Amino acid sequence: MNGSLLQTLRTRDALRITSIFGGVLVPALRVGVSFAVPIIALLLAGRLDLAPFAALGAFTSLYCRVDPYPRRAWLLPVVAAGLTASVAAGAVTSAFDAGGVVKVLVLTLVATLAKLLADVVRLGPPAGLMFVFAAGAAAYSPQTWSGFAEVVAITGASAALSYALSMVGGALHPTGPHRLATARALLAVADHLEAPNAAARRRAHTALHHALTALPSGERRTTVLLRGHLAHALHLLHHPADAAAELRTAAKRMRRGRVPAPGQHRPLPRPVVAERAGLAEFRTNALRMAVASLVTGLLASTFQLDHAYWAVVSVSSVLQSHNTATTWQRAVQRTAGTVAGSLLALGIFAVDPTPATILVVIVICQIAAELVVMANYGLGLTFATPLALCLAALSQPTDRLQLVAERVGMTLFGALLGVGVCLVLTNSRARTRLREALEGCRRAARDLQRSPADPQAREHLLRALFALRDAHQVAAGEPLHPHHGDQEVLDTEHEAYRLLAATTAPAGRTPSG
């Protein structure tokens, strides 16, 4: 157990900088515009008091950065409505002049529901965090019933603008997200070809699966070409060859907007439908979020600080994870990023900026955070922390040194408590789910052995393989469950890949489109 605990609480993974191919600059600029436009409009209208709520609505643009436009079309309205509802819930508690306990209960409810939503629909970064931040910012800033409608309206309007800006690219480059997903898959396969190992193969297979689920159905020329490249990459995954340079060249051309014809003609893969998990898989994570948010909020509120909700935001941030190991990594990143960002904020406050200057800083910090957050969450926090402090300074002027100290203290407190709750509330379901996934993968492998030409048997094994991978990822990060099954998982995966390679269809012609 001690060895497993030390393995779980290692910091090496938290400090790793991830290289991101494409999908960084344009989303960051889009986020900057989403923040700047409503803030400038309020500045010109002389209503700077509403600027923090415009920023909360603009958080909509943080989601679905590179998702296909059909997914954005239904998911971003859910995010926009959730952020607006979170602000409304927080504003109600403030307008009622509710006590700290009531505010904590509201934040706990928002945090738990947001965590469930993020897990079930695979919302992606920043997951349910911004809903908690929005509710807390509204609850802990002065509100009146006369101004309630304005607060909710400006949040909703800003969220709607962010949605529109996130969708406008669909008219300019509708295949952009598909090209990016395919390019990333080709690069992942190229990495595996150059340095083959189990981890690289998993990453390549996952990237290919993501690209196939992102592609639309139909026979449009670009879609057919992309599927042709994925078919070739899938073949290389199972039958390695000296083709890494070829894949990298094709990926770079796709990123620039051109989709070349695939070098090899192979049978096109069938469309893949992304599966959604049920609520049962996420009960432990939801329970951890509820308990940690409640305990953290109640303890923080006893100090009667102006921004006690920051502790709940911190614990919510580190618990936007799938196991204890990733919670610990996020705790390390959040603490380090907050300390660095607080030092940056002190430098900003030292020049005594005007409210207009603070608004400019908010936009710049948000763009900077978006440029680096996917590489490392801690780097993103280095710029997100001054943004949060500037928003707090606008909505509720106070001693700025005290503000910074409160931010650091609440962040450290919430992060450590989140890790502690994970260690106490163990995920007893994780190993059971892993055993079930192992058996499911073996059954699917036997079915494919009996019917090697059956495409449904092949797809069943693919789904079972991804289920096994997800189950192992969760279980491997829980310290109170021994890792003696790791080799068994590797062996089962190896057998599955061997079968998939043996049943790969022979080369054929790519349909025209």
Side-chain angles (χ1 to χ4, degrees), residues 325-391:
T326 50
T327 297
W328 168 251
Q329 291 164 20
R330 289 181 68 88
V332 172
Q333 292 168 341
R334 185 165 186 87
T335 302
T338 298
V339 171
S342 296
L343 294 176
L344 180 57
L346 286 175
I348 295 171
F349 290 148
V351 300
D352 194 21
T354 64
T357 303
I358 289 179
L359 292 176
V360 173
V361 170
I362 288 174
V363 174
I364 293 175
C365 283
Q366 186 60 68
I367 294 175
E370 288 304 299
L371 288 173
V372 300
V373 70
M374 299 306 294
N376 186 278
Y377 179 60
L379 287 177
L381 260 294
T382 301
F383 299 100
T385 297
L387 183 151
L389 290 168
C390 286
L391 284 175

Side-chain angles (χ1 to χ4, degrees), residues 18-36 55 58-66 76 124-127 129-130 162 166 184 330 361-387:
T18 303
S19 177
I20 306 297
F21 178 82
V24 176
L25 180 59
V26 172
L29 293 177
R30 184 174 66 232
V31 169
V33 174
S34 298
F35 275 72
F59 285 155
T60 303
S61 61
L62 302 181
Y63 293 87
C64 301
R65 290 177 179 88
V66 295
L76 284 179
L129 173 61
M130 308 321 295
S162 295
S166 295
R184 288 178 172 177
R330 289 181 68 88
V361 170
I362 288 174
V363 174
I364 293 175
C365 283
Q366 186 60 68
I367 294 175
E370 288 304 299
L371 288 173
V372 300
V373 70
M374 299 306 294
N376 186 278
Y377 179 60
L379 287 177
L381 260 294
T382 301
F383 299 100
T385 297
L387 183 151

Side-chain angles (χ1 to χ4, degrees), residues 2 15 21 60 69 124 130 177 211-212 233 239 247 384 428 451 470 472:
N2 290 335
L15 303 177
F21 178 82
T60 303
Y69 291 103
M130 308 321 295
L212 286 170
H239 303 283
L247 295 179
S428 58
S451 306
D470 287 343
H472 181 244

Side-chain angles (χ1 to χ4, degrees), residues 46-371:
R47 294 301 308 271
L48 285 180
D49 57 307
L50 293 175
F53 301 99
L56 296 178
F59 285 155
T60 303
S61 61
L62 302 181
Y63 293 87
C64 301
R65 290 177 179 88
V66 295
D67 284 3
Y69 291 103
R71 175 172 165 81
R72 297 187 201 187
W74 71 264
L75 187 52
L76 284 179
V78 174
V79 172
L83 288 170
T84 305
S86 298
V87 168
V92 164
T93 64
S94 179
F96 265 122
D97 197 21
V101 174
V102 175
K103 291 181 179 179
V104 169
L105 290 175
V106 169
L107 289 183
T108 299
L109 179 62
V110 170
T112 305
L113 293 178
K115 176 60 177 170
L116 280 174
L117 172 68
D119 284 346
V120 170
V121 303
R122 300 184 186 275
L123 188 54
L129 173 61
M130 308 321 295
F131 300 92
V132 185
F133 187 92
Y140 284 82
S141 62
Q143 305 291 337
T144 62
W145 286 115
S146 60
F148 174 80
E150 285 184 327
V151 165
V152 176
I154 195 63
T155 303
S158 180
L161 174 63
S162 295
Y163 169 73
L165 290 173
S166 295
M167 293 299 297
V168 71
L172 302 175
H173 47 82
T175 62
H178 308 126
R179 287 188 283 105
L180 179 60
T182 302
R184 288 178 172 177
L186 298 188
L187 291 176
V189 174
D191 289 341
H192 172 59
L193 294 178
E194 291 177 340
N197 57 72
R201 185 174 59 186
R202 289 194 198 102
R203 288 192 293 268
H205 199 190
T206 300
L208 285 166
H209 179 74
H210 173 74
L212 286 170
T213 57
L215 279 179
S217 58
E219 296 298 321
R220 291 185 177 181
R221 182 177 183 277
T222 299
T223 300
V224 172
L225 289 176
L226 292 175
R227 289 174 63 198
H229 282 285
L230 291 174
H232 183 43
L234 276 169
H235 181 85
L236 291 172
L237 179 67
H238 299 308
H239 303 283
D242 185 16
E246 169 194 343
L247 295 179
R248 294 189 187 281
T249 299
K252 290 177 182 178
R253 293 181 68 182
M254 288 178 197
R255 182 184 178 186
R256 291 194 293 265
R258 299 180 58 189
V259 183
Q264 299 288 334
H265 295 286
R266 305 190 185 280
L268 299 187
R270 298 173 61 177
V272 177
V273 178
E275 295 185 0
R276 295 183 186 177
L279 288 174
E281 292 186 21
F282 309 116
R283 284 181 298 189
T284 299
N285 287 338
L287 178 62
R288 285 171 168 175
M289 181 67 75
V291 172
S293 298
L294 182 62
V295 173
T296 304
L298 292 175
L299 291 176
S301 64
T302 60
F303 297 103
Q304 297 184 339
L305 300 174
D306 293 332
H307 305 90
Y309 75 94
W310 278 343
V312 181
V313 170
S314 179
V315 79
S316 173
S317 170
V318 301
L319 289 175
Q320 302 298 332
S321 55
H322 51 264
N323 57 30
T324 303
T326 50
T327 297
W328 168 251
Q329 291 164 20
R330 289 181 68 88
V332 172
Q333 292 168 341
R334 185 165 186 87
T335 302
T338 298
V339 171
S342 296
L343 294 176
L344 180 57
L346 286 175
I348 295 171
F349 290 148
V351 300
D352 194 21
T354 64
T357 303
I358 289 179
L359 292 176
V360 173
V361 170
I362 288 174
V363 174
I364 293 175
C365 283
Q366 186 60 68
I367 294 175
E370 288 304 299
L371 288 173

